[in-house]
């Protein structure tokens, strides 16, 4: 429908006012025409531009939507509608608008670039990259395009290609602070941390107040275990941008790594209040070593998962009959000489290949002797380190995986988006992350009766599968070096009672350290043997000991060593003292395998109960205490009762081969029974539910 002559004149006048900068007069005329019921899209386009220039995005979009619904709407209007929708967080609608603009006007750089941005916001990075590549044909020298291509390539795990794009940006404009930071991220992902640090420093030389560069620099320093430097960078980022998401949690966690406890209680309380209120204050793992209640840990995980890893749509799975093998896939970046594989390798070797088909999806290229051993235990060992999350999930679906097991949760190397894309109809959180992931697409968490009580199921987003005995697998072939070092070579006094704790230093908190220092004062000549994680923690803990009236020389420091040698030196400790809030996990089973009794305080969370679980499975429930007072009294009593300790050590050594904790085939049967129970529910059309595996299922051997 053509406008009548009067409207044509009014529209022309409004356009002239608009070009002359008289937007008020233009708007007045345009609104009069719009109120008359006009069908001229130009009226609403001009109104949209006026609103957009004033920052009134909602009204801008509404006018462009009205224009788009009318015949003769221009491709420019569809383009600006797409931009407005992107700005208003509607990337799906933006894709439709931008594609209509391109269909009307042909391919032009601006629309293709914004189309790529929209797909990237939808986490559709393959499609984003295709749009960006089409845009690149139009303009190969756009820094913003090349930068966005780098972001999508990084999201697709193609970090080497992303690096090349960032370097193309810097060749065009070496003053791009954000691109120096992005370049550092790509280098860090490629394991080139020193070069990454140099790239962050180049960014900070250009702009010393660029908070993201300080933050990413801190993350890289943390991966290099340069904890004090990492803390300095986090603190700098905090001063520049104190409300940066999750920064408060990183700060507390780094302070715990170097055992800086000034103001610790207040920081913990502030962090917990923010997490409980739903703020993006802490990542789930960084909160875990603090005295956080289960409800706060769940809220933290939910907030983090919803922010970074929302569900990416439900895949459709056909239900197979019951005559083929159940296909189970483990996903991890730690199929190497790492605590995860040290615990699980024997389980992998004991897996039943008659009823199951086993897959390992490796998220890292790193390989060593342990990798070869792990790979040999699987029917299929697949390196997916360079594949995107969506691709990995699609590969798993193509293989017909029934049960996908995430061995990371929210720990280093994690890639939850694989599971957000639904790799399998049944998805399981196991071992690597001692708590709920807060995701609706993770169906089950494997635990045991000690770790999660029935009245605590509400603190987990997953359904709880209760394994018999302990949830932790162990290697019953783990070697202990036959040549144990002497006490003298370990700097341990010859006749001293040795309290030991080989947990990471960040797990040591002021409350447990108070108890340890009182024990040293109460047990003459005793020493505390700790793992030295970094020099700053050592200096801080020695100062804390001095403040509590204890000679710092009574703390003896153990260096990191190869696992067989580390296990052998346990012979020179008398009692392993567990930490309170994030207790010993692998370190507890190492101690028990070596014959060293472990004393623990059973706390309220998964992470604080693992030692209790292991001790009960090892037949030593008397070493599980229920309060700080009981823990301290038991430690003192045992230190004064060498015969009791000798009896505990003798029980461990005599029963090690028979106890459930170290019965690898038994554990394999138990977890297989759990997998079968999950699979049967799904095959019968039933939703996930809490499952308890009886002892008989675990002890049965085909």
């Amino acid at each position: 429908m053509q406008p009548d002559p009067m409207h044509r004149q009014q529209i022309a006048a409004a356009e002239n006012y608009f070009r002359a900068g008289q937007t008020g007069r233009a708007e007045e005329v345009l609104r009069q025409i719009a109120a008359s019921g006009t069908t001229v899209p130009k009226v609403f386009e001009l109104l949209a531009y006026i609103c957009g220039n004033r920052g009134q995005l909602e009204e801008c979009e509404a006018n462009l939507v009205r224009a788009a619904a009318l015949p003769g709407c221009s491709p420019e209007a569809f383009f600006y509608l797409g931009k407005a929708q992107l700005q208003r967080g509607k990337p799906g609608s933006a894709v439709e608008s931008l594609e209509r603009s391109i269909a009307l006007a042909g391919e032009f750089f601006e629309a293709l670039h914004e189309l790529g941005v929209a797909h990237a916001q939808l986490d559709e990075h393959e499609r984003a990259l295709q749009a960006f590549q089409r845009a690149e044909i139009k303009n190969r020298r756009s820094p913003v395009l090349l930068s966005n291509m780098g972001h999508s390539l990084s999201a697709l795990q193609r970090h080497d290609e992303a690096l090349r794009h960032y370097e193309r940006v810097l060749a065009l404009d070496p003053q791009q602070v954000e691109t120096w930071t992005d370049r550092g991220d790509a280098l860090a992902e490629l394991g080139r941390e020193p070069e990454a640090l140099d790239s962050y420093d180049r960014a900070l030389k250009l702009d010393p107040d660029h908070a993201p560069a300080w933050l990413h620099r801190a993350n890289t320093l943390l991966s290099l275990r340069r904890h004090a430097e990492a803390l300095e960078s986090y603190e700098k980022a905090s001063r520049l941008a104190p409300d940066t998401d999750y920064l408060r949690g990183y700060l507390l966690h780094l302070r715990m790594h170097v055992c800086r406890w000034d103001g610790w209680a207040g920081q913990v309380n502030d962090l917990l209040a923010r997490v409980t209120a739903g703020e993006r204050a802490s990542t789930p793992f960084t909160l875990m070593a603090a005295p956080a209640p289960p409800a706060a840990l769940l809220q933290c995980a939910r907030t983090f998962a919803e922010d970074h890893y929302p569900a990416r749509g439900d895949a459709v799975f056909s239900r197979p009959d019951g005559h083929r093998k159940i296909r189970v896939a483990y996903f991890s970046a730690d199929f190497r000489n790492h605590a995860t594989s040290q615990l699980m390798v024997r389980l992998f070797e004991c897996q039943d290949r008659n009823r199951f088909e086993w897959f390992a999806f490796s998220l890292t290229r790193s390989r060593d002797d342990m990798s070869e051993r792990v790979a040999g235990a699987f029917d299929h060992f697949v390196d997916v380190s360079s594949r995107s999350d969506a691709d990995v999930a699609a590969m798993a679906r193509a293989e017909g995986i029934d049960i996908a097991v995430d061995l990371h949760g929210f720990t280093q190397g994690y890639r939850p988006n694989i599971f957000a894309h639904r790799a399998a109809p049944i998805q399981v959180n196991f071992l690597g992350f001692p708590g709920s992931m807060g995701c609706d697409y993770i169906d089950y968490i494997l635990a045991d009766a000690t770790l999660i009580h029935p009245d605590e199921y509400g603190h987990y987003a997953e359904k709880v599968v209760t394994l018999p005995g302990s949830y932790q697998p162990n290697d019953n072939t783990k070697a202990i070096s036959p040549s144990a070092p002497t006490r003298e070579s370990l700097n341990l006094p010859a006749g001293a009672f040795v309290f030991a704790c080989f947990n990471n230093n960040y797990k040591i908190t002021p409350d447990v350290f108070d108890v340890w220092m009182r024990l040293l004062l109460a047990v003459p000549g005793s020493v505390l043997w700790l793992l030295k994680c970094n020099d700053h923690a050592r200096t801080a803990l020695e100062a804390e000991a001095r403040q509590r009236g204890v000679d710092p020389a009574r703390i003896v420091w153990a260096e990191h060593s190869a696992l067989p040698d580390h296990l052998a030196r346990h012979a020179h400790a008398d009692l392993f003292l567990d930490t309170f809030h994030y207790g010993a996990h692998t370190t507890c089973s190492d101690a028990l395998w070596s014959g060293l009794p472990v004393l623990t305080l059973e706390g309220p969370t998964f992470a604080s109960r693992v030692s209790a679980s292991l001790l009960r499975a090892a037949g030593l429930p008397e070493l599980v205490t229920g309060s700080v007072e009981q823990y301290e009294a038991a430690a003192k009593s045992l230190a004064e009762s060498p015969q009791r300790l000798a009896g505990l050590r003798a029980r461990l050594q005599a029963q090690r081969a028979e106890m459930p904790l170290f019965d690898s085939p038994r554990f394999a049967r138990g977890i297989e029974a759990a997998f079968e129970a999950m699979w049967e529910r799904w095959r019968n059309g039933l939703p996930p539910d809490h499952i308890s595996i009886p002892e008989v299922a675990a002890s049965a051997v085909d």
Side-chain angles (χ1 to χ4, degrees), residues 44 87 187 307 402 405 415 418 478 616 651 670:
F44 301 104
Q87 289 177 283
L187 287 163
D307 184 24
D402 299 305
V405 184
R415 289 175 59 182
I418 293 171
K478 189 158 47 179
R616 290 185 173 117
R651 280 167 58 190

Side-chain angles (χ1 to χ4, degrees), residues 432-464:
F433 185 70
S436 177
M437 290 179 64
C439 308
D440 292 338
Y441 50 79
I442 301 294
D443 303 295
Y444 294 100
I445 182 171
L446 296 184
D448 59 51
T450 293
L451 296 173
I452 306 176
H453 306 162
D455 61 349
E456 298 167 341
Y457 289 168
H459 296 312
Y460 295 82
E462 308 89 341
K463 298 301 182 183
V464 178

